[in-house]
Amino acid sequence: MNQDLLKEIMAERIKTCRKNHVPKMTQIELAKKLGVDKALMSKYENPKYPDMPPHRVLNQIGDIFEVSLDYLNGRVDDPHTTLSEYIEQVSRANKMIGMSFSEEELKSLDQQKIDKIIQYMRDQVNLALSESSSKTNSTKF
């Protein structure tokens, strides 16, 4: 994932977490919790600002909003799932549809690519099943 896209995803997810927090949190309130000034907090939520929050700040944001760093970094779409957990879920799904990838192979891919592979395989299984069903039905007549 390129840096611009990563920054855009991270900025949007930080903003979303802050606005969806109960109670809703302002940039000033979050900045105080993080120990940064409001101007810097504003930059973290601005995808045009070139610098991303340092690891320490990302860890704090994850803790405050109870979301994974993998979510903030755009590696997974579920805020409460880590990449390792996602890979484990995918591995179980792969076994059910007869796919086999090593953990190293899956770690080299992002969630969108993994999802595309799974969807392709499911489509192929469904196609094979429908073709098999069509052949069975055509031989009955």
Side-chain angles (χ1 to χ4, degrees), residues 65-116:
F65 298 119
E66 298 179 355
V67 299
S68 72
L69 291 179
D70 288 320
Y71 170 74
L72 292 174
N73 283 304
R75 296 174 73 183
V76 296
D77 291 330
D78 180 345
H80 306 291
T81 301
T82 64
L83 185 60
S84 296
E85 292 167 341
Y86 182 74
I87 288 172
E88 185 178 316
Q89 292 167 3
V90 168
S91 294
R92 273 188 255 125
N94 288 348
K95 287 177 186 162
M96 291 193 314
I97 60 174
M99 288 176 33
S100 176
F101 290 98
S102 71
E103 189 172 329
E104 292 78 30
E105 289 170 318
L106 289 173
K107 282 184 177 178
S108 71
L109 303 171
D110 63 26
Q111 181 180 351
Q112 290 174 329
K113 288 179 183 172
I114 294 170
D115 288 341
K116 285 180 183 178

Side-chain angles (χ1 to χ4, degrees), residues 16-53:
T16 298
C17 286
R18 181 179 57 76
K19 288 185 172 190
N20 290 340
H21 188 264
V22 177
K24 188 175 179 178
M25 194 179 291
T26 66
Q27 281 186 343
I28 293 171
E29 291 168 328
L30 182 55
K32 282 182 184 178
K33 285 184 179 268
L34 296 173
V36 300
D37 63 42
K38 193 259 183 218
L40 186 56
M41 187 66 243
S42 177
K43 290 177 180 178
Y44 290 157
E45 291 185 8
N46 180 352
K48 292 180 174 69
Y49 179 69
D51 295 330
M52 290 184 277

